[in-house]
Amino acid sequence: MSVACKFERSILSHEEYEAIRLTHHPAIYSVEVSELEAMRPRLRKMRDKERTVGRQKQRESRGKAEARGTSFPGTAKHASERKQVFAAALKRVNTELKLQHNLAARTANVEAARKALALHRAANFTTRPPAGATAGDGMASKPSERRRKIIAGAKIGRISQATKVAQAVRDARGA
């Protein structure tokens, strides 16, 4: 569930809100990737701390655990809401980092494709040295590249001879 910025400002301290403010819509696009990477562990730490505080307060209210320390800070009252704010900010940072990574990968892929296309086109136009002035011997015959079939002389006409013999045998039977 999304939370209004005004509500975030009301339950967070000034330093926490400044860290969260950079993760919202127009501001997150101006933040560098390295800063987003540095922001991620800080937001995780804040979220985990609030989750721990919230779980402890729940256990205390159910009577399952004793109070830890003398008192929690005033922000412990809204621990689950604060955790949700930090989790949403972390989600926005992760999404923006993923988008930036995909954009960089797509850009690198396009550059590689352009380079490959340029190399392919350059390979199609090979430069050969000019023939120059040479004496011509006329046309040169090109030897045939077809495979020669060598057939023994005894086998030439054997099929037609076999047909003739078979017909003669049939004719001799009928007479």
Side-chain angles (χ1 to χ4, degrees):
M1 185 176 104
S2 63
V3 179
C5 290
K6 205 172 201 180
F7 179 71
E8 285 180 359
R9 199 174 308 130
S10 69
I11 63 171
L12 298 177
S13 69
H14 181 71
E15 294 82 24
E16 291 170 338
Y17 181 71
E18 285 303 313
I20 296 293
R21 185 185 58 79
L22 291 176
T23 66
H24 283 290
H25 165 55
I28 196 166
Y29 304 126
S30 61
V31 179
E32 294 292 324
V33 175
S34 59
E35 291 178 38
L36 288 174
E37 289 285 351
M39 209 181 286
R40 187 190 295 187
R42 205 169 51 229
L43 289 172
R44 279 190 188 137
K45 192 173 179 182
M46 290 175 179
R47 179 202 58 193
D48 293 345
K49 179 181 174 189
E50 292 303 323
R51 181 173 54 195
T52 304
V53 170
R55 285 179 180 169
Q56 180 64 25
K57 292 303 273 183
Q58 277 184 341
R59 288 177 57 78
E60 286 174 17
S61 66
R62 288 191 318 236
K64 298 258 182 185
E66 305 247 344
R68 288 170 47 183
T70 56
S71 68
F72 276 110
T75 59
K77 195 165 40 173
H78 303 286
S80 63
E81 289 91 356
R82 288 168 52 87
K83 181 199 67 113
Q84 287 175 355
V85 168
F86 292 131
L90 185 61
K91 187 175 182 180
R92 288 190 297 270
V93 167
N94 286 336
T95 303
E96 183 62 25
L97 280 171
K98 186 168 44 168
L99 289 173
Q100 292 293 329
H101 173 73
N102 290 346
L103 179 66
R106 191 177 313 118
T107 304
N109 201 4
V110 166
E111 290 301 318
R114 285 194 178 131
K115 184 178 177 184
L117 180 62
L119 288 172
H120 179 70
R121 286 183 175 164
N124 285 341
F125 300 109
T126 57
T127 57
R128 293 190 173 87
T134 58
D137 294 332
M139 291 181 70
S141 65
K142 285 176 63 177
S144 174
E145 293 179 6
R146 269 194 295 173
R147 193 172 140 239
R148 284 196 62 203
K149 296 178 185 145
I150 301 172
I151 300 172
K155 295 197 176 199
I156 295 174
R158 69 183 170 92
I159 300 299
S160 59
Q161 186 62 37
T163 306
K164 289 178 192 174
V165 169
Q167 188 64 46
V169 168
R170 268 187 252 119
D171 290 345
R173 255 192 248 143

